[in-house]
Amino acid sequence: QVTLRESGPALVKPTQTLTLTCSFSGFSIRTSGMCVSWIRQPPGKALEWLARIDWDDDKYYSTSLKTRLTISKDTSKHQVLLTMTNLDPVDTATYYCARIFCSSTNCYHDAFDIWGQGTMVTVSS
Amino acid sequence: QSVLTQPPSVSGAPGQRVTISCTGTSSNIGADYDVHWYQQLPGTAPKLLIYGNNNRPSGVPDRFSGSKSGTSASLAISGLQAEDEADYYCQSYDSSLSGYVFGTGTKVTVL
């Protein structure tokens, strides 16, 4: 059974750096085609894709947030990390990690097939 | 800032059929990237409902179906049930943004 679980601080102060951890099981990110993405959802609003890391360590970022995001993985711990710098109240959201199994070129046609439960992050002083 | 446009809400009586549209542009749906649909029940994480425009993952009832044409896609729910009350999101890839994009979301209400 494939599962993902997000963890991180519930409250962060403005200008601080946020680090979130996605712990997964039931698959290996060493497997060719396996990718993990981060997606967020502000309260009452739509989903927004943030970043993706692939089995071969390729990384992709939302163009609007690229300068503030870093995605990485610890293969031995079955974890994917997301760091976001210079937090602002507008970054208040539930942050999800989700798996993509790439069956198409560059994964452009592939869906987020398994999602974590999400972790709520509030940015406030 | 969602790139794909959906109606804010749709509603229907039990047993009825409802459709949700997802309108994109020539850099996403119109560029022939696949469209996927997610169901988000209240207070829960999104769940993959339709992938590759019109395919259902194992366990998703065949009451749910998807289609795509030109720069738009649609999700249809036939035989509407109370348990279908949720938010629904479409998703694709955008070549201009070089990233995945989601729809604005549609709340389905069962009357």
Side-chain angles (χ1 to χ4, degrees):
Chain A
Q1 181 188 5
V2 173
T3 64
L4 301 96
R5 187 182 72 251
E6 306 85 350
S7 59
L11 181 64
V12 181
K13 288 181 168 43
T15 74
Q16 286 188 336
T17 294
L18 170 69
T19 298
L20 297 172
T21 300
C22 173
S23 302
F24 57 87
S25 63
F27 69 96
S28 173
I29 203 166
R30 286 194 184 99
T31 301
S32 179
M34 286 298 179
C35 314
V36 172
S37 267
W38 283 94
I39 296 148
R40 70 178 179 181
Q41 184 175 36
K45 296 189 177 181
L47 300 161
E48 179 185 19
W49 174 75
L50 302 176
R52 186 187 102 200
I53 189 164
D54 296 354
W55 73 99
D56 57 4
D57 214 37
D58 280 349
K59 304 174 179 74
Y60 303 86
Y61 298 98
S62 162
T63 53
S64 62
L65 293 166
K66 185 173 185 175
T67 59
R68 299 173 52 208
L69 296 175
T70 303
I71 192 170
S72 62
K73 59 181 170 67
D74 186 328
T75 304
S76 62
K77 291 184 178 180
H78 304 288
Q79 292 179 336
V80 169
L81 282 70
L82 181 74
T83 299
M84 179 181 289
T85 61
N86 193 24
L87 270 284
D88 182 273
V90 299
D91 296 312
T92 293
T94 297
Y95 287 75
Y96 297 99
C97 60
R99 187 185 78 162
I100 299 179
F101 180 68
C102 291
S103 61
S104 64
T105 303
N106 294 319
C107 315
Y108 293 162
H109 295 280
D110 297 294
F112 304 103
D113 64 344
I114 307 293
W115 295 61
Q117 63 188 20
T119 186
M120 177 66 192
V121 177
T122 300
V123 182
S124 175
S125 54
Chain B
Q1 58 284 4
S2 301
V3 172
L4 307 178
T5 302
Q6 300 177 232
S9 64
V10 298
S11 61
Q16 283 190 328
R17 182 177 186 270
V18 297
T19 61
I20 301 170
S21 60
C22 173
T23 302
T25 67
S26 58
S27 63
N28 43 67
I29 299 176
D32 208 28
Y33 293 109
D34 281 357
V35 177
H36 318 292
W37 291 89
Y38 302 88
Q39 178 193 58
Q40 187 174 31
L41 296 169
T44 70
K47 167 194 160 187
L48 180 63
L49 193 66
I50 297 286
Y51 68 93
N53 305 315
N54 55 16
N55 300 288
R56 284 175 285 106
S58 174
V60 173
D62 59 6
R63 304 186 290 104
F64 295 92
S65 61
S67 63
K68 174 188 154 186
S69 178
T71 58
S72 296
S74 291
L75 172 72
I77 310 174
S78 59
L80 196 63
Q81 297 183 5
E83 65 203 52
D84 299 333
E85 275 209 348
D87 293 325
Y88 293 82
Y89 292 91
C90 58
Q91 176 254 312
S92 187
Y93 183 85
D94 191 288
S95 57
S96 295
L97 297 173
S98 298
Y100 299 98
V101 291
F102 286 92
T104 49
T106 299
K107 182 175 181 59
V108 169
T109 301
V110 181
L111 301 172

